[in-house]
Amino acid sequence: MKRIFVQTILAFTFEVCFSQTVIPEWFENLPQAPPGTMYSVGYSGKYINHSLARESAIAVATKNMAKQIKSRLAFEIEELSDGRFRLLKPTFGLSYKKDIYVNIVDKCVIADSAITDNGYFVLLAYPDIQHHISGNLKKWGNKPAWTEKLPFNKEYNYGVGIVSNYSSWVRAWKDADEYARFDLGKNFEIEARSIHTSKRDNKFIVESNILRQSYDKEFSNTVVISRWYDRENDIYYSLCRQAKKFNK
Amino acid sequence: MKKLIVIALLVPMVFMLMNCGGKPKAKMNNIPEWYLNPPKAEDAIYEAGDAAKQSMGLAKEAADARARDAISRTIEVKVSNMLKNFMQESGIGEDAEALEFTSSVSKQVSNNVLRGARIVKREMKTEGSMYHAYSLAEYNLNSLIQETLNEAKKQKALYNEAKANLSFEDLEKEIQKLEAVGQ
């Protein structure tokens, strides 16, 4: 019993202290794909059986590819406040097409894969490419500028996803990637409505506020091109990019 | 045993006393300069928003939404002024129909569709157990001017006062609901 307890503590400490230390370089920065081809990244946590880990990582990469080719994003945020209470209700909806997913499963190829201490990573190429990539394992680089200041380029739209305090790094990256996609959508177009009222009586001013922002739109070619993990503060950042020509 | 009971009572009391200063406040030197003094530019509007929440994701969403809301309220005033100028320059300011159109568009822009209102800067700070997010939204005025002129030029096609009134009434109903809950 004591042994199991010590092993559990050791495993937990290892997971916390050594989480996401080493990653394939294409996980941090997605390489430029050859014309007519797209890359997407998949990842999974530790499995006893490597083939299961690989299968799980490929499934994530395939879904990521389907989402980046075309996905419908529906976002709404509503904030109600009357000076006494505040209520915030964000909702996120993402869907992608089944036929695109099936096509990817048929025609994709694994361009590279890597195993680290705590996970399995795959780089998926679609459609099939002849040459393969050999990405080296590396430690996380310095904090990139895009984590604080959104990049500007006339040809691209960008969005940043940020999450923290996740017990599973796989779940954290999945959410960071999706929030980055939603952020891109908000930067592109959003319907913003609000009413602000201010009521004054003898003693108080009560400010009421209703804010509602939403969009529901289909986006093509939204690619998560960079990721960065802030080990010190346990924060996961994803940067999503879309060529503006796909939104005309 | 008695000692244990005393300790058991004292420990929560100490924690309660430690927390009775209310929510932790942001340190002034931690607040981004661009939040206190948003940049000014001739061709863009900048507005800042912030929010403190237990969840980082919610803090970010709320700060972004508040920054965009501030942009939306600022452009409402600007668009209404621009439309007035447009009417005068086009020589249709005295036309009764044109006046009606002005009022309807200003209602429409209170439900703004913001194209390209980007969160250009963002900072996340921790205050005790809370995350405090600061967001700076940027809206390019060139696109606003173009969109407003387009709106004005195809006034009859886009004119939908009933719809604008309806959505405004919806929001007013929400305010009334909110007041009822607060009472």
Side-chain angles (χ1 to χ4, degrees):
Chain A
M1 186 65 188
K2 197 177 169 188
R3 205 171 142 194
I4 293 171
F5 179 73
V6 171
Q7 278 176 347
T8 312
I9 293 288
L10 278 176
F12 179 76
T13 314
F14 184 84
E15 197 66 29
V16 169
C17 299
F18 302 97
S19 60
Q20 285 282 298
T21 336
V22 179
I23 35 116
E25 52 192 12
W26 40 257
F27 183 75
E28 189 176 20
N29 290 305
L30 198 73
Q32 181 73 38
T37 308
M38 285 181 104
Y39 289 139
S40 78
V41 167
Y43 33 87
S44 70
K46 263 175 132 178
Y47 280 72
I48 298 167
N49 184 334
H50 276 165
S51 65
L52 280 178
R54 182 183 167 87
E55 220 170 85
S56 172
I58 292 171
V60 172
T62 315
K63 280 181 194 164
N64 280 345
M65 182 72 83
K67 287 175 199 168
Q68 76 183 37
I69 290 174
K70 192 174 270 186
S71 51
R72 183 177 167 181
L73 305 178
F75 167 79
E76 187 176 32
I77 190 166
E78 192 177 81
E79 188 178 44
L80 308 174
S81 61
D82 72 345
R84 275 170 282 188
F85 80 93
R86 212 170 251 287
L87 181 65
L88 186 75
K89 289 195 298 180
T91 53
F92 301 86
L94 186 149
S95 54
Y96 52 89
K97 294 196 169 158
K98 194 181 167 187
D99 54 333
I100 294 177
Y101 180 83
V102 172
N103 211 13
I104 295 166
V105 173
D106 279 352
K107 293 178 183 165
C108 72
V109 66
I110 293 168
D112 194 20
S113 59
I115 303 174
T116 65
D117 282 341
N118 56 1
Y120 201 107
F121 298 82
V122 293
L123 178 69
L124 206 72
Y126 168 81
D128 196 350
I129 50 167
Q130 296 304 312
H131 68 279
H132 285 234
I133 289 178
S134 52
N136 298 319
L137 290 178
K138 70 182 285 280
K139 289 184 175 176
W140 287 104
N142 294 329
K143 188 174 189 176
W146 58 261
T147 55
E148 287 185 356
K149 191 177 175 195
L150 196 75
F152 178 76
N153 187 310
K154 282 184 178 174
E155 290 177 17
Y156 296 102
N157 294 317
Y158 292 94
V160 175
I162 310 173
V163 300
S164 181
N165 275 346
Y166 277 59
S167 53
S168 152
W169 65 265
V170 175
R171 188 70 238 164
W173 283 124
K174 279 182 186 170
D175 282 0
D177 290 356
E178 295 202 353
Y179 285 147
R181 205 161 264 131
F182 279 100
D183 197 53
L184 184 146
K186 284 185 265 174
N187 286 335
F188 175 72
E189 184 179 297
I190 194 160
E191 188 178 359
R193 294 175 289 167
S194 68
I195 287 187
H196 292 250
T197 61
S198 183
K199 281 188 182 173
R200 184 192 295 261
D201 63 15
N202 292 337
K203 288 180 183 173
F204 304 106
I205 298 173
V206 178
E207 295 209 359
S208 303
N209 172 29
I210 294 182
L211 178 158
R212 200 176 286 157
Q213 293 176 6
S214 61
Y215 72 84
D216 185 344
K217 195 172 161 54
E218 206 164 68
F219 288 90
S220 304
N221 285 61
T222 53
V223 186
V224 175
I225 53 163
S226 288
R227 293 180 181 85
W228 188 69
Y229 176 53
D230 179 351
R231 286 192 72 201
E232 206 175 302
N233 301 302
D234 188 34
I235 305 175
Y236 299 77
Y237 295 89
S238 293
L239 176 69
C240 185
R241 186 180 76 180
Q242 182 204 35
K244 284 184 179 170
K245 64 181 177 186
F246 291 106
N247 251 333
K248 279 180 180 170
Chain B
M1 186 62 187
K2 206 175 171 186
K3 225 176 185 179
L4 270 177
I5 294 172
V6 172
I7 291 171
L9 285 172
L10 274 176
V11 169
M13 216 179 259
V14 169
F15 279 110
M16 278 164 72
L17 283 172
M18 280 166 70
N19 284 321
C20 66
K23 286 179 183 174
K25 285 182 182 163
K27 286 179 192 159
M28 288 307 283
N29 57 357
N30 265 351
I31 300 174
E33 172 58 26
W34 49 258
Y35 175 79
L36 299 171
N37 301 300
K40 298 206 185 312
E42 281 185 3
D43 60 346
I45 304 171
Y46 291 92
E47 293 289 352
D50 76 306
K53 304 268 172 203
Q54 296 275 356
S55 147
M56 179 183 278
L58 279 184
K60 172 186 170 283
E61 292 304 329
D64 288 2
R66 288 173 193 173
R68 283 200 180 90
D69 181 49
I71 293 264
S72 175
R73 283 184 285 144
T74 306
I75 67 168
E76 201 174 316
V77 176
K78 283 191 187 286
V79 166
S80 132
N81 287 339
M82 275 195 289
L83 278 167
K84 218 177 276 173
N85 290 340
F86 176 79
M87 293 294 179
Q88 283 164 0
E89 282 166 22
S90 315
I92 51 173
E94 290 162 18
D95 190 317
E97 195 187 348
L99 284 173
E100 191 186 7
F101 159 66
T102 310
S103 80
S104 77
V105 173
S106 64
K107 269 185 188 171
Q108 193 182 12
V109 292
S110 67
N111 290 343
N112 281 310
V113 173
L114 303 176
R115 283 177 68 92
R118 305 180 319 134
I119 301 297
V120 286
K121 283 184 184 177
R122 199 179 271 132
E123 273 189 41
M124 196 66 74
K125 310 279 181 188
T126 48
E127 288 160 17
S129 62
M130 309 275 272
Y131 289 102
H132 199 147
Y134 296 89
S135 300
L136 180 71
E138 178 197 73
Y139 190 67
N140 193 313
L141 274 177
N142 291 331
S143 62
L144 172 66
I145 291 165
Q146 199 50 52
E147 277 186 28
T148 312
L149 287 176
N150 290 344
E151 289 276 319
K153 280 173 190 165
K154 45 184 186 174
Q155 51 171 304
K156 296 223 165 150
L158 291 177
Y159 177 58
N160 194 345
E161 191 179 18
K163 196 181 168 190
N165 279 338
L166 187 69
S167 37
F168 207 74
E169 273 166 22
D170 283 347
L171 287 170
E172 278 171 347
K173 274 180 198 163
E174 295 285 351
I175 278 270
Q176 283 164 3
K177 261 196 253 169
L178 192 68
E179 282 170 358
V181 174
Q183 279 167 2

